[in-house]
Amino acid sequence: MFKKTLVTALAVSALALSACGASDSGSGTDDGITMGFAQVGAESGWRTANTKSIQEAAETAGVDLKFSDAQQKQENQIKAIRSYIQQKVDVIAFSPVVESGWDTVLKEARDADIPVILTDRAVDSADTSLYQTFLGSDFVEEGKKAGDWLVQDSAATEGPVNIVELQGTTGAAPAIDRKEGFEAAITADPDLTIVQSQTGDFTRSGGKQVMEAFLKNTPDIDVVYAHNDDMGLGAIEAIEAAGKVPGVDIKIITVDAVKDGMTALSEGRINYIVECNPLLGEQLMELAEKVVAGEEVPERVVTEETAFTPEQAKEVLASREY
Ligand code: GYE
């Protein structure tokens, strides 16, 4: 805690210096802060909604946002963060594409007295003083909710239930944690087995391709567990092309609850969706302003989420924002 306060105190003096620099160069607003945001990419409906939320919230809060899209490559994110350090932004926020390999660049930010906020995805750095706070979902809990639903849904079924898993990006926190939570939950029923598990990189085309291969090489698939809606939607295309009925012949569980996913759920083509909230913009701007002002912030801010059945999807679909 003390360390964090010290770091932010230093950041405030850096702000005073960089504010002079900013007015000299004519960039930035007079009293607003400058944020460098290194986004993962544009891989999914979730990501599109997340980017929009961050851009809109920055505008509302008067935050001068420098935004970059890393196209799901860690090296691009590291480059973006280094350029924000060079530009002497007031705060850096980013959603790390994978968990590992951030210590060097985070130390560079700390040496430059620029505070860092993690949003959406976590890093696995042992030194948690490298960032001020982490705003995002509990992905283990999401995986657990998905598994708990399947345990309940399969309770009446006799015999083995063969699950294929479409994992998110290899090494990404939501892929690691959603797998872990799901696996823990399904141990409650020994009939439930993951018979295949591969990454579809959180994209629709990735989900489709991997599902096509699963359908060819794996007999008797009962359930698809996809780490996001987009991969589940890709799997639906593959299942239909193979002459099977998604949601009936093969049950589908996904995570996110974006509009396309919720539409498929309301039609019974997906059976259950665990919600993951992408609308993090407003909370991020609030945290950024506090961090730059040297105020204390919680080390972890967890997003509140629910889950949906087809009936519930029908009720909320019309009012779904994203
Ligand atoms: O579930 C997926 C996206 O990190 C929570 O990334 C996010 C995940 C989200 O590509 O759709």
Side-chain angles (χ1 to χ4, degrees), residues 40 43-47 72 95 120-121 137 139 142 169 174 178 201-203 227-230 255-256 258 276:
V40 169
E43 73 282 4
S44 63
W46 190 99
R47 190 64 54 198
Q72 290 187 280
S95 173
D120 159 34
R121 297 184 184 178
S137 310
F139 300 133
E142 290 172 352
T169 302
R178 286 174 186 166
D201 212 10
F202 279 132
T203 65
H227 290 186
N228 77 345
D229 287 350
D230 281 86
V255 185
D256 275 356
V258 296
C276 179

Side-chain angles (χ1 to χ4, degrees), residues 226-243:
H227 290 186
N228 77 345
D229 287 350
D230 281 86
M231 291 190 296
L233 292 163
I236 288 177
E237 290 176 34
I239 291 169
E240 282 172 343

Side-chain angles (χ1 to χ4, degrees), residues 52-63 280-283 285:
K52 190 164 169 260
S53 165
I54 287 159
Q55 288 172 335
E56 285 176 0
E59 178 136 19
T60 309
V63 170
L280 304 177
E282 216 181 297
Q283 276 173 298
M285 298 309 146

Side-chain angles (χ1 to χ4, degrees), residues 3-57:
K3 261 196 195 153
K4 286 203 171 165
T5 317
L6 185 65
V7 170
T8 47
L10 291 170
V12 173
S13 40
L15 166 68
L17 293 172
S18 71
C20 299
S23 56
D24 285 351
S25 65
S27 70
T29 50
D30 279 351
D31 46 4
I33 62 172
T34 302
M35 173 188 284
F37 188 91
Q39 182 60 291
V40 169
E43 73 282 4
S44 63
W46 190 99
R47 190 64 54 198
T48 307
N50 179 247
T51 292
K52 190 164 169 260
S53 165
I54 287 159
Q55 288 172 335
E56 285 176 0

Side-chain angles (χ1 to χ4, degrees), residues 1 41 49 51 57 71-72 107 117 155 160-161 173 241 243 273 281:
M1 262 313 151
T51 292
Q71 302 186 320
Q72 290 187 280
K107 277 180 192 145
I117 298 177
V161 175
I273 301 187

